[in-house]
Each structure stands twice: as C-alpha cells, then as structure tokens.
Amino acid sequence: MDTGQDQTYIAGWLTAHDWRAFADQLAIDRGEERWRRAFDDYFMQRIDRRYLNPIAILQNEGTFVGEGFAIMAIQCSLIEFLESTVQGVRYRYPKRGEVLGPYEYSGGRDIFVNFLTERPPFSAEFDRGLALEFYASIRCGMLHEAQTKNGWRIWAQSEDGRMVDAEMRVVFRNDFQRALLAYVSWYKETLVRDAQFQDAFVRKFDSLST
C-alpha cells in the first residue's frame, strides 16, 4: 500500500514510488542506456523544473533591475543539490544530542566549496580561498538577506566569458549559468560510466524518496 510519501513528486511527475521501481531495475541492469534514462528522467526533470527553467524565464524576461539576485539565489541552491548528488549525501538538521548518520551532512559550506573547487568548469576559476569568499559573501548573503556582502556585485555578463572577477568582486550570473549547464553535460557523461557516481546517485534519490 502506497503512503503519502510514495506519491511525493521528486522529478517532474515522477514520484517516490516510481523511483523505487526504477531503482529495482537499476539493481538488475546497470548498463549505459539504463543510466542515460536515469539521468534524463530523474536528474534532468528535477533540475529542469525546479531550477533551470525558472532561471531561463528570469533571464529571458529580465529588465536588468534586480532579477540577477533571484537568478543567483537559485543558482546557489542548485549547486548544493548538484554536489550532494555527486557525493550521494542528504541534508539533515540534527536535534541536540543527535549524531549524523552515514552520508548525511548538516552544513552547506563544505558541499558548496567542494563543488566550486573540484567540479569542471568551476575548478578552473576557483581556489579554496575564492570559493570560501563566494560562499560567505554571495551564497549566504543571497539566501539569508537577499543581498551580496563585502562589496560583491552581480552583473549580467562578462566580456571574456569568465564567471567571476575576484579583484573587482563581481560575479557574472549569465556566464555562471553557462558553466552550470556545462557541468550538467559533464556529469551526464561521467554518470553513465562511473560506478562510484552511480552508487551516489542511487543514495541521493533513495533519500529523496523516503
């Protein structure tokens, strides 16, 4: 008998129940074609509906009078989902005295910094110092106070395609978005061939389905 959680939508119209049935198939057939379907049906439907499509609407309908803040806030939220999926971990806020279990985390800083410094194409522009600065001044500022901190600004686009100008303290949200899309393409091709990424993917979507 399905519970209310079974009918929770986790990727477009696909539910937790749908994922568990698909995961059973993955346990039998871990071929590349099956993993491409996992990526398209679950990963892409989830991020398209919840992140990428809303960002595209803001970009296409924007007037350059503030939508950059909304775009960057969504991008920062997306980064945490992307990296937690690669690692196969889920967020949990522990009550006093509780201990986090395996593959759980309670703070986003390390997740965020790891993504910027370890995942292409972001790793080409971010070292740990800049990633920590970005986390504190952009991510935390955006999500907690709807503004950047410490003199950072959000501009639409650079002249040379870079995502960030550390000296000027500027992040370019359209270039940042192109980098996110490039990462998604890289992740797809890695996922279909890498068993470690596949195991992490199953852990992540299992956690979304419970």
Side-chain angles (χ1 to χ4, degrees), residues 7-16 18 39-51 53 81 205 208:
Q7 297 307 313
T8 299
Y9 296 117
I10 64 168
W13 296 110
L14 294 172
T15 66
D18 294 323
F39 176 88
D40 291 338
D41 290 356
Y42 288 92
F43 184 84
M44 280 307 300
Q45 282 210 62
R46 186 173 178 87
I47 67 170
D48 266 342
R49 303 287 182 89
R50 302 185 182 204
Y51 299 103
N53 288 347
F81 175 73
F205 276 85
L208 297 173

Side-chain angles (χ1 to χ4, degrees), residues 14 24 31 34 45 65 67 72 93 126 145 148 152 177 186:
L14 294 172
D24 287 342
R34 182 75 66 180
Q45 282 210 62
V65 290
E67 67 274 4
M72 183 56 59
Y93 184 82
F126 285 89
E145 294 185 330
T148 55
W152 280 87
Q177 184 65 10
W186 171 84

Side-chain angles (χ1 to χ4, degrees), residues 194-205:
D194 190 303
Q196 184 175 345
F197 275 43
Q198 293 168 1
D199 291 342
F201 186 101
V202 171
R203 287 197 303 271
K204 183 63 175 181
F205 276 85

Side-chain angles (χ1 to χ4, degrees), residues 4 12 45 47-48 51 59 82 98 114 124-125 133 162 167:
Q45 282 210 62
I47 67 170
D48 266 342
Y51 299 103
Q59 287 179 315
L82 296 176
E98 287 186 336
N114 197 74
E125 292 195 38
E133 174 67 17
R162 57 181 162 171
E167 184 176 347

Side-chain angles (χ1 to χ4, degrees), residues 149-175:
K149 310 290 283 186
N150 301 313
W152 280 87
R153 293 161 291 170
I154 299 171
W155 289 358
Q157 191 165 314
S158 69
E159 295 182 353
D160 55 9
R162 57 181 162 171
M163 294 171 265
V164 61
D165 186 325
E167 184 176 347
M168 293 183 63
R169 292 184 172 248
V170 173
V171 57
F172 301 98
R173 41 97 166 175
N174 287 348
D175 300 290

Side-chain angles (χ1 to χ4, degrees), residues 20-144:
R20 285 195 290 275
F22 185 78
D24 287 342
Q25 298 173 14
L26 276 176
I28 299 170
D29 176 11
R30 293 176 68 97
E32 183 173 316
E33 190 59 36
R34 182 75 66 180
W35 275 104
R36 289 191 183 278
R37 182 179 167 192
F39 176 88
D40 291 338
D41 290 356
Y42 288 92
F43 184 84
M44 280 307 300
Q45 282 210 62
R46 186 173 178 87
I47 67 170
D48 266 342
R49 303 287 182 89
R50 302 185 182 204
Y51 299 103
L52 301 182
N53 288 347
I55 289 172
I57 291 170
L58 288 168
Q59 287 179 315
N60 294 336
E61 303 298 328
T63 57
F64 298 97
V65 290
E67 67 274 4
F69 285 87
I71 290 170
M72 183 56 59
I74 297 171
Q75 290 170 333
C76 287
S77 178
L78 174 57
I79 283 174
E80 189 160 338
F81 175 73
L82 296 176
E83 181 63 20
S84 65
T85 300
V86 169
Q87 295 188 23
V89 295
R90 69 173 177 176
Y91 175 84
R92 183 167 72 86
Y93 184 82
K95 297 177 182 178
R96 176 174 290 184
E98 287 186 336
V99 177
L100 292 174
Y103 303 114
E104 291 184 331
Y105 72 99
S106 62
R109 188 191 69 175
D110 290 343
I111 292 284
F112 199 91
V113 169
N114 197 74
F115 180 85
L116 293 178
T117 58
E118 298 293 331
R119 312 302 175 193
F122 297 89
S123 56
E125 292 195 38
F126 285 89
D127 59 18
R128 180 170 175 80
L130 181 56
L132 285 167
E133 174 67 17
F134 194 96
Y135 176 82
S137 299
I138 303 294
R139 185 270 188 190
C140 291
M142 294 301 311
L143 297 187
H144 295 308

